[in-house]
């Protein structure tokens, strides 16, 4: 258990540093105006351990142009795909209604990579997971006694 918790903690820590680095880099990306061309709630079923669960995701697509080239993307939050409750998906669709103008942040080295939001807080959640794993391993070893 200690090795597994420590290993998972190290993996989460590496992911934290990679995610944080990419997110910081993306903060300096330029932006252009874009337009939402699709904004709907998609419903799908996931089966795990013989149980089927219904989930929802906001399917938001937008178009934008950089240096005369048109691009198309569906990345609302950079490096994050979310699904869950219908209420959450509806909130995202309400924030980005079809036909609305939006600010699109794109990677100047690869303008086809773009997002509407840069979720910098997500990296800290991964760090919390890493610390929790290390704490569990330390507790299992009896370091908190």
């Amino acid at each position: 258990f200690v090795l597994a918790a420590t290993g998972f903690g190290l993996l989460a820590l590496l992911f934290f540093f990679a995610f944080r680095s990419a997110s910081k880099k993306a903060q300096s990306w330029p932006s252009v105006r874009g337009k939402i061309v699709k904004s709907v709630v998609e419903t799908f079923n996931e089966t795990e351990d013989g149980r089927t669960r219904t989930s929802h995701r906001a399917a938001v697509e937008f178009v934008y142009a950089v240096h005369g080239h048109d691009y198309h993307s569906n990345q609302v939050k950079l490096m994050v795909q979310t699904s869950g409750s219908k209420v959450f998906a509806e909130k995202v669709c309400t924030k980005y209604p079809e036909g609305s103008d939006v600010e699109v942040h794109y990677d100047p080295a690869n303008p086809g990579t773009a997002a509407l939001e840069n979720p910098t807080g997500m990296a800290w959640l991964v760090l919390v997971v890493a610390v929790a794993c290390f704490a569990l391993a330390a507790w299992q070893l009896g370091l908190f006694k």
Side-chain angles (χ1 to χ4, degrees), residues 34-102:
K35 184 171 282 296
I36 302 294
V37 294
K38 177 183 175 185
S39 183
V40 297
V41 174
E42 291 181 343
T43 302
F44 59 98
N45 292 321
E46 295 176 310
T47 302
E48 186 177 310
D49 296 329
R51 290 187 285 182
T52 301
R53 181 181 74 155
T54 300
S55 291
H56 308 275
R57 70 175 150 245
V60 176
E61 296 178 15
F62 54 94
V63 293
Y64 60 102
V66 177
H67 305 300
H69 297 294
D70 293 333
Y71 295 95
H72 189 272
S73 180
N74 62 357
Q75 190 73 48
V76 173
K77 292 182 183 284
L78 183 64
M79 299 178 291
V80 177
Q81 291 290 340
T82 57
S83 64
S85 74
K86 188 174 184 179
V87 171
F88 176 77
E90 287 171 342
K91 280 184 181 180
V92 174
C93 289
T94 298
K95 185 175 182 179
Y96 298 109
E98 194 170 310
S100 64
D101 291 329
V102 289

Side-chain angles (χ1 to χ4, degrees), residues 108-143:
N110 179 12
T113 300
L116 302 177
E117 300 176 17
N118 185 1
T120 55
M122 292 295 292
W124 298 108
L125 179 61
V126 176
L127 181 60
V128 168
V129 169
V131 169
C133 288
F134 294 137
L136 279 171
W139 175 74
Q140 188 68 29
L141 287 171
L143 298 177

